[in-house]
mmCIF file of all heavy atoms in Angstrom:
data_model
loop_
_atom_site.group_PDB
_atom_site.id
_atom_site.type_symbol
_atom_site.label_atom_id
_atom_site.label_comp_id
_atom_site.label_asym_id
_atom_site.label_seq_id
_atom_site.Cartn_x
_atom_site.Cartn_y
_atom_site.Cartn_z
ATOM 1 N N LEU A 318 -15.211 153.614 117.284
ATOM 2 C CA LEU A 318 -14.994 155.095 117.531
ATOM 3 C C LEU A 318 -15.485 155.886 116.359
ATOM 4 O O LEU A 318 -16.060 156.991 116.486
ATOM 5 C CB LEU A 318 -13.592 155.432 117.776
ATOM 6 C CG LEU A 318 -12.896 154.823 119.029
ATOM 7 C CD1 LEU A 318 -11.446 155.201 119.136
ATOM 8 C CD2 LEU A 318 -13.678 155.237 120.303
ATOM 9 N N VAL A 319 -15.351 155.280 115.171
ATOM 10 C CA VAL A 319 -15.834 155.976 113.941
ATOM 11 C C VAL A 319 -17.266 155.947 113.796
ATOM 12 O O VAL A 319 -17.964 156.959 113.627
ATOM 13 C CB VAL A 319 -15.185 155.391 112.681
ATOM 14 C CG1 VAL A 319 -15.824 155.991 111.395
ATOM 15 C CG2 VAL A 319 -13.719 155.622 112.633
ATOM 16 N N TYR A 320 -17.842 154.758 113.923
ATOM 17 C CA TYR A 320 -19.287 154.651 113.787
ATOM 18 C C TYR A 320 -20.174 154.995 114.982
ATOM 19 O O TYR A 320 -21.336 155.370 114.797
ATOM 20 C CB TYR A 320 -19.624 153.191 113.375
ATOM 21 C CG TYR A 320 -18.994 152.760 112.087
ATOM 22 C CD1 TYR A 320 -18.169 151.598 112.106
ATOM 23 C CD2 TYR A 320 -19.149 153.417 110.908
ATOM 24 C CE1 TYR A 320 -17.524 151.205 110.924
ATOM 25 C CE2 TYR A 320 -18.535 153.003 109.725
ATOM 26 C CZ TYR A 320 -17.726 151.916 109.722
ATOM 27 O OH TYR A 320 -17.096 151.522 108.603
ATOM 28 N N GLN A 321 -19.592 154.918 116.139
ATOM 29 C CA GLN A 321 -20.315 155.273 117.396
ATOM 30 C C GLN A 321 -21.509 154.384 117.658
ATOM 31 O O GLN A 321 -22.389 154.706 118.434
ATOM 32 C CB GLN A 321 -20.752 156.729 117.330
ATOM 33 C CG GLN A 321 -19.600 157.758 117.428
ATOM 34 C CD GLN A 321 -18.926 157.753 118.706
ATOM 35 O OE1 GLN A 321 -19.433 157.968 119.764
ATOM 36 N NE2 GLN A 321 -17.626 157.624 118.632
ATOM 37 N N ASN A 322 -21.500 153.157 117.059
ATOM 38 C CA ASN A 322 -22.611 152.205 117.238
ATOM 39 C C ASN A 322 -22.108 150.839 116.846
ATOM 40 O O ASN A 322 -21.703 150.669 115.703
ATOM 41 C CB ASN A 322 -23.849 152.581 116.453
ATOM 42 C CG ASN A 322 -25.038 151.756 116.826
ATOM 43 O OD1 ASN A 322 -24.937 150.654 117.225
ATOM 44 N ND2 ASN A 322 -26.237 152.376 116.680
ATOM 45 N N PRO A 323 -22.125 149.903 117.748
ATOM 46 C CA PRO A 323 -21.574 148.537 117.379
ATOM 47 C C PRO A 323 -22.373 147.904 116.264
ATOM 48 O O PRO A 323 -21.825 146.977 115.526
ATOM 49 C CB PRO A 323 -21.673 147.698 118.684
ATOM 50 C CG PRO A 323 -22.572 148.502 119.619
ATOM 51 C CD PRO A 323 -22.542 149.931 119.138
ATOM 52 N N GLU A 324 -23.654 148.249 116.074
ATOM 53 C CA GLU A 324 -24.441 147.649 114.969
ATOM 54 C C GLU A 324 -23.842 147.978 113.632
ATOM 55 O O GLU A 324 -24.053 147.263 112.629
ATOM 56 C CB GLU A 324 -25.935 148.168 115.076
ATOM 57 C CG GLU A 324 -26.665 147.736 116.222
ATOM 58 C CD GLU A 324 -27.120 146.306 116.061
ATOM 59 O OE1 GLU A 324 -27.246 145.732 114.932
ATOM 60 O OE2 GLU A 324 -27.390 145.687 117.114
ATOM 61 N N GLU A 325 -23.133 149.113 113.556
ATOM 62 C CA GLU A 325 -22.597 149.539 112.252
ATOM 63 C C GLU A 325 -21.103 149.051 111.974
ATOM 64 O O GLU A 325 -20.617 149.336 110.905
ATOM 65 C CB GLU A 325 -22.636 151.089 112.200
ATOM 66 C CG GLU A 325 -24.079 151.601 112.262
ATOM 67 C CD GLU A 325 -24.121 153.120 112.403
ATOM 68 O OE1 GLU A 325 -23.095 153.774 112.289
ATOM 69 O OE2 GLU A 325 -25.243 153.593 112.624
ATOM 70 N N VAL A 326 -20.535 148.350 112.967
ATOM 71 C CA VAL A 326 -19.201 147.849 112.772
ATOM 72 C C VAL A 326 -19.270 146.475 112.000
ATOM 73 O O VAL A 326 -19.979 145.574 112.496
ATOM 74 C CB VAL A 326 -18.477 147.717 114.116
ATOM 75 C CG1 VAL A 326 -17.127 147.064 113.903
ATOM 76 C CG2 VAL A 326 -18.337 149.020 114.827
ATOM 77 N N ASP A 327 -18.632 146.424 110.878
ATOM 78 C CA ASP A 327 -18.620 145.185 110.105
ATOM 79 C C ASP A 327 -17.781 144.031 110.697
ATOM 80 O O ASP A 327 -16.769 144.369 111.369
ATOM 81 C CB ASP A 327 -18.122 145.420 108.685
ATOM 82 C CG ASP A 327 -19.190 146.294 107.877
ATOM 83 O OD1 ASP A 327 -20.361 146.241 108.239
ATOM 84 O OD2 ASP A 327 -18.683 147.000 106.936
ATOM 85 N N ALA A 328 -18.148 142.822 110.356
ATOM 86 C CA ALA A 328 -17.379 141.698 110.764
ATOM 87 C C ALA A 328 -15.988 141.766 109.940
ATOM 88 O O ALA A 328 -15.930 142.438 108.901
ATOM 89 C CB ALA A 328 -18.048 140.403 110.496
ATOM 90 N N ILE A 329 -14.986 141.067 110.414
ATOM 91 C CA ILE A 329 -13.691 141.043 109.762
ATOM 92 C C ILE A 329 -13.428 139.541 109.312
ATOM 93 O O ILE A 329 -13.476 138.635 110.078
ATOM 94 C CB ILE A 329 -12.516 141.503 110.664
ATOM 95 C CG1 ILE A 329 -12.789 143.013 110.982
ATOM 96 C CG2 ILE A 329 -11.224 141.295 110.018
ATOM 97 C CD1 ILE A 329 -11.804 143.527 112.048
ATOM 98 N N THR A 330 -13.211 139.465 107.948
ATOM 99 C CA THR A 330 -12.947 138.167 107.411
ATOM 100 C C THR A 330 -11.702 137.605 108.001
ATOM 101 O O THR A 330 -10.700 138.275 108.132
ATOM 102 C CB THR A 330 -12.715 138.365 105.886
ATOM 103 O OG1 THR A 330 -13.918 138.860 105.336
ATOM 104 C CG2 THR A 330 -12.422 136.977 105.192
ATOM 105 N N GLY A 331 -11.661 136.344 108.399
ATOM 106 C CA GLY A 331 -10.583 135.695 109.038
ATOM 107 C C GLY A 331 -10.617 135.734 110.541
ATOM 108 O O GLY A 331 -9.877 135.246 111.285
ATOM 109 N N ALA A 332 -11.667 136.442 111.076
ATOM 110 C CA ALA A 332 -11.881 136.592 112.556
ATOM 111 C C ALA A 332 -13.314 136.329 112.809
ATOM 112 O O ALA A 332 -13.948 137.146 113.564
ATOM 113 C CB ALA A 332 -11.343 137.911 113.018
ATOM 114 N N THR A 333 -13.826 135.223 112.325
ATOM 115 C CA THR A 333 -15.300 134.954 112.520
ATOM 116 C C THR A 333 -15.814 135.026 113.975
ATOM 117 O O THR A 333 -16.782 135.712 114.275
ATOM 118 C CB THR A 333 -15.689 133.635 111.825
ATOM 119 O OG1 THR A 333 -15.148 133.655 110.487
ATOM 120 C CG2 THR A 333 -17.124 133.338 111.782
ATOM 121 N N HIS A 334 -15.202 134.252 114.757
ATOM 122 C CA HIS A 334 -15.700 134.116 116.120
ATOM 123 C C HIS A 334 -15.348 135.414 116.923
ATOM 124 O O HIS A 334 -16.221 135.835 117.778
ATOM 125 C CB HIS A 334 -14.910 132.949 116.810
ATOM 126 C CG HIS A 334 -15.466 131.628 116.375
ATOM 127 N ND1 HIS A 334 -16.041 130.683 117.106
ATOM 128 C CD2 HIS A 334 -15.420 131.126 115.150
ATOM 129 C CE1 HIS A 334 -16.375 129.667 116.394
ATOM 130 N NE2 HIS A 334 -16.015 129.843 115.159
ATOM 131 N N SER A 335 -14.266 136.014 116.638
ATOM 132 C CA SER A 335 -13.936 137.317 117.320
ATOM 133 C C SER A 335 -14.901 138.399 116.882
ATOM 134 O O SER A 335 -15.274 139.291 117.635
ATOM 135 C CB SER A 335 -12.531 137.715 117.019
ATOM 136 O OG SER A 335 -11.636 136.793 117.730
ATOM 137 N N SER A 336 -15.384 138.405 115.650
ATOM 138 C CA SER A 336 -16.390 139.351 115.188
ATOM 139 C C SER A 336 -17.660 139.210 115.921
ATOM 140 O O SER A 336 -18.223 140.149 116.387
ATOM 141 C CB SER A 336 -16.592 139.133 113.636
ATOM 142 O OG SER A 336 -15.443 139.424 112.934
ATOM 143 N N ARG A 337 -18.018 137.918 116.105
ATOM 144 C CA ARG A 337 -19.305 137.755 116.895
ATOM 145 C C ARG A 337 -19.176 138.137 118.311
ATOM 146 O O ARG A 337 -20.055 138.735 118.849
ATOM 147 C CB ARG A 337 -19.626 136.171 116.860
ATOM 148 C CG ARG A 337 -20.231 135.730 115.518
ATOM 149 C CD ARG A 337 -20.720 134.345 115.563
ATOM 150 N NE ARG A 337 -20.443 133.632 114.347
ATOM 151 C CZ ARG A 337 -20.083 132.372 114.136
ATOM 152 N NH1 ARG A 337 -19.780 131.611 115.172
ATOM 153 N NH2 ARG A 337 -19.812 131.949 112.923
ATOM 154 N N ALA A 338 -18.045 137.767 118.895
ATOM 155 C CA ALA A 338 -17.786 138.164 120.322
ATOM 156 C C ALA A 338 -17.760 139.670 120.483
ATOM 157 O O ALA A 338 -18.405 140.223 121.447
ATOM 158 C CB ALA A 338 -16.542 137.542 120.788
ATOM 159 N N PHE A 339 -17.045 140.359 119.606
ATOM 160 C CA PHE A 339 -17.064 141.805 119.743
ATOM 161 C C PHE A 339 -18.513 142.403 119.542
ATOM 162 O O PHE A 339 -18.832 143.206 120.426
ATOM 163 C CB PHE A 339 -16.163 142.391 118.497
ATOM 164 C CG PHE A 339 -16.393 143.902 118.466
ATOM 165 C CD1 PHE A 339 -15.661 144.767 119.283
ATOM 166 C CD2 PHE A 339 -17.221 144.469 117.521
ATOM 167 C CE1 PHE A 339 -15.899 146.102 119.303
ATOM 168 C CE2 PHE A 339 -17.422 145.844 117.432
ATOM 169 C CZ PHE A 339 -16.743 146.639 118.345
ATOM 170 N N LYS A 340 -19.212 141.937 118.642
ATOM 171 C CA LYS A 340 -20.620 142.456 118.478
ATOM 172 C C LYS A 340 -21.355 142.158 119.791
ATOM 173 O O LYS A 340 -22.102 143.141 120.270
ATOM 174 C CB LYS A 340 -21.312 141.766 117.378
ATOM 175 C CG LYS A 340 -20.917 142.326 115.939
ATOM 176 C CD LYS A 340 -21.744 143.543 115.592
ATOM 177 C CE LYS A 340 -21.597 143.832 114.178
ATOM 178 N NZ LYS A 340 -22.301 144.884 113.738
ATOM 179 N N GLU A 341 -21.306 141.018 120.240
ATOM 180 C CA GLU A 341 -22.131 140.710 121.495
ATOM 181 C C GLU A 341 -21.742 141.515 122.646
ATOM 182 O O GLU A 341 -22.617 142.091 123.328
ATOM 183 C CB GLU A 341 -22.009 139.215 121.761
ATOM 184 C CG GLU A 341 -22.867 138.776 122.972
ATOM 185 C CD GLU A 341 -22.875 137.259 123.192
ATOM 186 O OE1 GLU A 341 -21.841 136.557 122.998
ATOM 187 O OE2 GLU A 341 -23.967 136.746 123.604
ATOM 188 N N LEU A 342 -20.436 141.649 122.935
ATOM 189 C CA LEU A 342 -20.016 142.348 124.080
ATOM 190 C C LEU A 342 -20.213 143.844 123.917
ATOM 191 O O LEU A 342 -20.671 144.509 124.863
ATOM 192 C CB LEU A 342 -18.507 142.047 124.343
ATOM 193 C CG LEU A 342 -18.198 140.535 124.709
ATOM 194 C CD1 LEU A 342 -16.714 140.393 124.805
ATOM 195 C CD2 LEU A 342 -18.837 140.162 126.020
ATOM 196 N N ALA A 343 -19.875 144.365 122.747
ATOM 197 C CA ALA A 343 -20.042 145.801 122.521
ATOM 198 C C ALA A 343 -21.511 146.249 122.626
ATOM 199 O O ALA A 343 -21.820 147.360 123.143
ATOM 200 C CB ALA A 343 -19.453 146.199 121.138
ATOM 201 N N GLN A 344 -22.399 145.400 122.017
ATOM 202 C CA GLN A 344 -23.867 145.743 122.118
ATOM 203 C C GLN A 344 -24.326 145.726 123.500
ATOM 204 O O GLN A 344 -25.134 146.587 123.846
ATOM 205 C CB GLN A 344 -24.629 144.713 121.186
ATOM 206 C CG GLN A 344 -24.436 144.999 119.720
ATOM 207 C CD GLN A 344 -24.984 143.950 118.801
ATOM 208 O OE1 GLN A 344 -25.276 142.816 119.331
ATOM 209 N NE2 GLN A 344 -25.099 144.243 117.565
ATOM 210 N N ALA A 345 -23.847 144.806 124.322
ATOM 211 C CA ALA A 345 -24.293 144.734 125.679
ATOM 212 C C ALA A 345 -23.825 145.991 126.421
ATOM 213 O O ALA A 345 -24.640 146.611 127.166
ATOM 214 C CB ALA A 345 -23.799 143.495 126.377
ATOM 215 N N ALA A 346 -22.595 146.343 126.236
ATOM 216 C CA ALA A 346 -22.064 147.605 126.960
ATOM 217 C C ALA A 346 -22.774 148.848 126.352
ATOM 218 O O ALA A 346 -23.158 149.710 127.198
ATOM 219 C CB ALA A 346 -20.592 147.737 126.691
ATOM 220 N N PHE A 347 -22.989 148.898 125.111
ATOM 221 C CA PHE A 347 -23.710 149.977 124.465
ATOM 222 C C PHE A 347 -25.114 150.144 125.056
ATOM 223 O O PHE A 347 -25.551 151.265 125.278
ATOM 224 C CB PHE A 347 -23.762 149.701 122.919
ATOM 225 C CG PHE A 347 -24.209 150.977 122.151
ATOM 226 C CD1 PHE A 347 -23.316 151.916 121.784
ATOM 227 C CD2 PHE A 347 -25.486 151.045 121.651
ATOM 228 C CE1 PHE A 347 -23.625 153.051 121.032
ATOM 229 C CE2 PHE A 347 -25.855 152.070 120.812
ATOM 230 C CZ PHE A 347 -24.938 153.108 120.567
ATOM 231 N N LYS A 348 -25.823 149.105 125.178
ATOM 232 C CA LYS A 348 -27.119 149.111 125.763
ATOM 233 C C LYS A 348 -27.097 149.691 127.168
ATOM 234 O O LYS A 348 -27.962 150.462 127.536
ATOM 235 C CB LYS A 348 -27.755 147.693 125.833
ATOM 236 C CG LYS A 348 -29.163 147.644 126.320
ATOM 237 C CD LYS A 348 -29.763 146.193 126.191
ATOM 238 C CE LYS A 348 -31.147 146.182 126.766
ATOM 239 N NZ LYS A 348 -31.711 144.821 126.751
ATOM 240 N N ASN A 349 -26.145 149.322 127.957
ATOM 241 C CA ASN A 349 -26.028 149.822 129.354
ATOM 242 C C ASN A 349 -25.693 151.324 129.277
ATOM 243 O O ASN A 349 -26.142 152.085 130.134
ATOM 244 C CB ASN A 349 -25.025 149.055 130.112
ATOM 245 C CG ASN A 349 -25.515 147.952 130.963
ATOM 246 O OD1 ASN A 349 -26.724 147.539 130.707
ATOM 247 N ND2 ASN A 349 -24.780 147.377 131.907
ATOM 248 N N ALA A 350 -24.881 151.751 128.351
ATOM 249 C CA ALA A 350 -24.552 153.133 128.150
ATOM 250 C C ALA A 350 -25.808 153.997 127.866
ATOM 251 O O ALA A 350 -25.830 155.210 128.163
ATOM 252 C CB ALA A 350 -23.448 153.309 127.134
ATOM 253 N N GLN A 351 -26.780 153.457 127.193
ATOM 254 C CA GLN A 351 -27.985 154.159 126.922
ATOM 255 C C GLN A 351 -28.828 154.378 128.136
ATOM 256 O O GLN A 351 -29.516 155.446 128.206
ATOM 257 C CB GLN A 351 -28.886 153.287 125.980
ATOM 258 C CG GLN A 351 -28.234 153.206 124.572
ATOM 259 C CD GLN A 351 -28.997 152.320 123.642
ATOM 260 O OE1 GLN A 351 -30.123 151.779 124.014
ATOM 261 N NE2 GLN A 351 -28.509 152.038 122.478
ATOM 262 N N THR A 352 -28.707 153.577 129.221
ATOM 263 C CA THR A 352 -29.390 153.749 130.425
ATOM 264 C C THR A 352 -28.516 154.279 131.527
ATOM 265 O O THR A 352 -29.077 154.710 132.596
ATOM 266 C CB THR A 352 -30.008 152.382 130.919
ATOM 267 O OG1 THR A 352 -28.969 151.490 131.226
ATOM 268 C CG2 THR A 352 -30.931 151.856 129.850
ATOM 269 N N GLY A 353 -27.258 154.311 131.355
ATOM 270 C CA GLY A 353 -26.276 154.849 132.361
ATOM 271 C C GLY A 353 -25.954 153.830 133.391
ATOM 272 O O GLY A 353 -25.238 154.128 134.378
ATOM 273 N N ASP A 354 -26.253 152.550 133.220
ATOM 274 C CA ASP A 354 -25.909 151.508 134.074
ATOM 275 C C ASP A 354 -24.452 151.039 133.860
ATOM 276 O O ASP A 354 -24.159 150.370 132.858
ATOM 277 C CB ASP A 354 -26.871 150.345 133.937
ATOM 278 C CG ASP A 354 -26.523 149.187 134.865
ATOM 279 O OD1 ASP A 354 -25.595 149.230 135.665
ATOM 280 O OD2 ASP A 354 -27.285 148.115 134.830
ATOM 281 N N GLN A 355 -23.523 151.404 134.768
ATOM 282 C CA GLN A 355 -22.142 151.115 134.691
ATOM 283 C C GLN A 355 -21.690 149.753 135.241
ATOM 284 O O GLN A 355 -20.465 149.497 135.314
ATOM 285 C CB GLN A 355 -21.267 152.222 135.125
ATOM 286 C CG GLN A 355 -21.410 153.517 134.299
ATOM 287 C CD GLN A 355 -20.530 154.649 134.766
ATOM 288 O OE1 GLN A 355 -19.325 154.455 134.918
ATOM 289 N NE2 GLN A 355 -21.051 155.834 134.976
ATOM 290 N N SER A 356 -22.692 148.972 135.619
ATOM 291 C CA SER A 356 -22.384 147.655 136.180
ATOM 292 C C SER A 356 -21.690 146.772 135.153
ATOM 293 O O SER A 356 -22.154 146.747 133.971
ATOM 294 C CB SER A 356 -23.618 146.911 136.671
ATOM 295 O OG SER A 356 -24.332 147.764 137.552
ATOM 296 N N PRO A 357 -20.544 146.092 135.407
ATOM 297 C CA PRO A 357 -19.990 145.164 134.473
ATOM 298 C C PRO A 357 -20.953 144.115 134.059
ATOM 299 O O PRO A 357 -21.733 143.566 134.884
ATOM 300 C CB PRO A 357 -18.837 144.599 135.280
ATOM 301 C CG PRO A 357 -18.581 145.421 136.411
ATOM 302 C CD PRO A 357 -19.872 146.111 136.706
ATOM 303 N N ILE A 358 -20.996 143.759 132.799
ATOM 304 C CA ILE A 358 -21.899 142.745 132.264
ATOM 305 C C ILE A 358 -21.122 141.490 132.072
ATOM 306 O O ILE A 358 -20.023 141.483 131.493
ATOM 307 C CB ILE A 358 -22.466 143.274 130.879
ATOM 308 C CG1 ILE A 358 -23.159 144.528 131.088
ATOM 309 C CG2 ILE A 358 -23.393 142.117 130.306
ATOM 310 C CD1 ILE A 358 -23.454 145.234 129.774
ATOM 311 N N ILE A 359 -21.645 140.444 132.550
ATOM 312 C CA ILE A 359 -21.063 139.064 132.487
ATOM 313 C C ILE A 359 -21.990 138.251 131.525
ATOM 314 O O ILE A 359 -23.219 138.066 131.913
ATOM 315 C CB ILE A 359 -20.828 138.373 133.768
ATOM 316 C CG1 ILE A 359 -20.098 139.284 134.709
ATOM 317 C CG2 ILE A 359 -20.112 136.996 133.579
ATOM 318 C CD1 ILE A 359 -18.721 139.665 134.399
#
Side-chain angles (χ1 to χ4, degrees):
L318 295 179
V319 170
Y320 299 125
Q321 294 291 307
N322 188 330
E324 291 286 336
E325 297 173 8
V326 176
D327 290 333
I329 296 175
T330 302
T333 306
H334 290 241
S335 292
S336 293
R337 285 187 215 141
F339 170 79
K340 282 275 195 180
E341 183 174 35
L342 297 173
Q344 287 170 344
F347 191 80
K348 184 176 178 184
N349 269 13
Q351 292 172 5
T352 63
D354 181 359
Q355 295 185 49
S356 304
I358 301 164
I359 309 297

